Amino acid sequence: PYSARDNQGKSPETRQEIAMNIVIAAEKRSIATLLSEHVKHRVNPEEIRVSENPDETGSFLVGLDFERYVVSPSGEVYEDAMD
């Protein structure tokens, strides 16, 4: 029978999620630095939660404590206006 899985047993969505996790891991230190400049105090990469922003390609949603920020593709940081 036909299967959407490739020869490594991974569906395309799973490979995409893995790729995004690699990007997030690679960028987490840079994102923490940008956020540090925005909040005016040092933020360690371990303190933040980073995920892909589904509303804007190339941007990230960043959680720090109870606050949520967006890092745009150009490196701008702004508070996320949660609806």
Side-chain angles (χ1 to χ4, degrees):
Y2 175 77
S3 173
R5 296 181 183 275
D6 65 14
N7 60 4
Q8 295 176 353
K10 304 280 185 194
S11 68
E13 295 78 20
T14 302
R15 285 196 319 269
Q16 184 177 5
E17 289 172 2
I18 291 169
M20 183 49 66
N21 288 339
I22 291 168
V23 169
I24 288 172
E27 295 296 329
K28 201 166 184 181
R29 182 176 300 278
S30 297
I31 291 169
T33 299
L34 290 169
L35 190 57
S36 294
E37 293 170 6
H38 181 78
V39 297
K40 308 285 191 262
H41 67 83
R42 181 167 168 70
V43 175
N44 292 313
E46 300 81 28
E47 296 178 85
I48 60 175
R49 297 168 312 283
V50 180
S51 61
E52 180 181 14
N53 182 359
D55 296 332
E56 183 180 16
T57 301
S59 71
F60 299 97
L61 296 174
V62 183
L64 175 65
D65 297 326
F66 296 107
E67 301 296 322
R68 200 163 108 169
Y69 300 90
V70 175
V71 177
S72 74
S74 65
E76 295 178 70
V77 178
Y78 54 92
E79 290 186 42
D80 185 24
M82 296 176 22
D83 298 325

